[in-house]
Amino acid sequence: MRIGYIQMNPIFGAVKENLAHVKLLMEGAQAELWVLPELFSTGYQFRTGEEAAGLAEPIPNGPTVRSLLEIAGQRGCWIVAGLVEIGPDGRLYNAAVLVGPDGIVTRYRKAHLFYKEKLWFATGNEPFPVVDAGPARVGMMLCFDHLFPEAARTLALAGADVIAHPANLVIPEYGQLTMRVRAIENGVFTVTANRIGTENRDSETLRFTGESQIVSPTGEVIAKAPRDQEEVQVVEVDPAKARDKSLNQYNDRFTDRRPELYRI
Ligand code: ACM
């Protein structure tokens, strides 16, 4: 299975342009599963809740998901991507969707909000999803969820072979390092699609750290983007490699767990 990331520099508020840019970037490569950054169609640094609401869209009937569905249908692929969702009750969520050639497959609402996201977004309260996407079982989490090992563990225990991780990481090296550990401890592939560039729409400048990566179940970084350039990368993987959790003839990542001793 060919899986890939798109590392890009979204233009704040320019949904149409960002969608057109992603379409163009994808034309240079073929993959069955693509992962795009968190909030890739809007940018990240909102000034107010009203501004975030003005860029929010319902799922699936908004411009971002419609455009992703069109691309997935035309290219016969699956796409995981982050966007601002407005729910039926008017609440805003930092969300991700997984769309496929036959329509929308599932949605995820970020469970661990980072920094000022807490000012605009409601906290996601739904389970971490794992769904079939072609030959792989794909789980989703968003950016700062990386710091909470329970998120990736939950996805792995639910059967994820690949963890799709749209991101807008700002702390250098944290997410890239933790996701390597998440891959090793859970024996899964991880695909972190991060963004690059800066936003300074506020009193502070946010610098996004790039270095999108794909990690194998043994922790090998099999693709890695630069810190400050857009990049499209696709690698061939066998998702079934994530189904054997053994380390040697005596140890297995899952059956050796001692949940009765864990106080969480
Ligand atoms: C983040 O969760 N965007 C750091």
Side-chain angles (χ1 to χ4, degrees):
M1 182 182 196
R2 290 171 64 77
I3 63 177
Y5 59 71
I6 293 187
Q7 173 165 296
M8 59 186 285
N9 188 7
I11 305 166
F12 187 89
V15 173
K16 244 188 180 164
E17 287 87 341
N18 292 327
L19 290 169
H21 188 51
V22 160
K23 209 168 167 185
L24 197 69
L25 287 173
M26 270 187 187
E27 275 165 17
Q30 277 292 337
E32 285 160 273
L33 174 68
W34 286 105
V35 185
L36 275 50
E38 179 183 27
L39 299 173
F40 83 98
S41 60
T42 58
Y44 183 79
Q45 194 182 34
F46 304 101
R47 289 197 179 112
T48 62
E50 289 72 38
E51 189 177 59
L55 289 164
E57 43 186 287
I59 294 174
N61 292 313
T64 299
V65 179
R66 275 205 292 265
S67 172
L68 294 173
L69 283 166
E70 187 185 303
I71 298 171
Q74 283 168 354
R75 300 178 63 98
C77 65
W78 284 265
I79 307 170
V80 176
L83 73 155
V84 188
E85 179 195 3
I86 183 158
D89 58 1
R91 285 174 186 238
L92 305 185
Y93 296 94
N94 183 342
V97 288
L98 195 164
V99 304
D102 300 321
I104 182 155
V105 185
T106 191
R107 175 197 69 203
Y108 167 64
R109 290 170 168 171
K110 191 174 185 180
H112 304 96
L113 296 175
F114 180 71
Y115 197 46
K116 292 184 187 172
E117 291 172 28
K118 294 192 176 193
L119 304 180
W120 342 119
F121 298 129
T123 306
N125 275 325
E126 295 169 350
F128 292 95
V130 177
V131 294
D132 288 334
R137 294 188 292 240
V138 176
M140 287 197 286
M141 52 188 250
L142 276 165
C143 204
F144 191 49
D145 288 331
H146 74 83
L147 205 73
F148 302 86
E150 295 88 347
R153 178 68 98 203
T154 301
L155 290 169
L157 289 173
D161 305 317
V162 178
I163 293 181
H165 179 226
N168 275 192
L169 293 160
V170 292
I171 306 176
E173 293 172 19
Y174 265 41
Q176 289 82 356
L177 181 60
T178 55
M179 289 308 286
R180 261 191 96 184
V181 177
R182 303 293 164 257
I184 294 169
E185 67 197 358
N186 292 297
V188 294
F189 293 93
T190 65
V191 185
T192 297
N194 197 17
R195 63 161 289 180
I196 58 163
T198 57
E199 285 186 0
N200 51 7
R201 313 187 60 261
D202 197 338
S203 53
E204 64 195 319
T205 299
L206 292 179
R207 189 172 301 283
F208 301 97
T209 59
E211 297 190 331
S212 296
Q213 65 183 20
I214 302 176
V215 185
S216 78
T218 55
E220 189 192 348
V221 179
I222 48 182
K224 182 155 187 147
R227 184 167 284 206
D228 52 7
Q229 281 164 48
E230 293 196 322
E231 187 181 86
V232 177
Q233 268 266 20
V234 177
V235 294
E236 177 89 35
V237 303
D238 177 4
K241 288 230 165 81
R243 294 178 195 166
D244 175 7
K245 304 299 184 186
S246 68
L247 290 173
N248 54 51
Q249 70 184 116
Y250 301 107
N251 292 110
D252 180 285
R253 292 171 181 83
F254 279 10
T255 57
D256 281 354
R257 295 177 64 245
R258 301 292 309 280
E260 69 279 17
L261 300 181
Y262 307 151
R263 297 282 175 268
I264 55 172

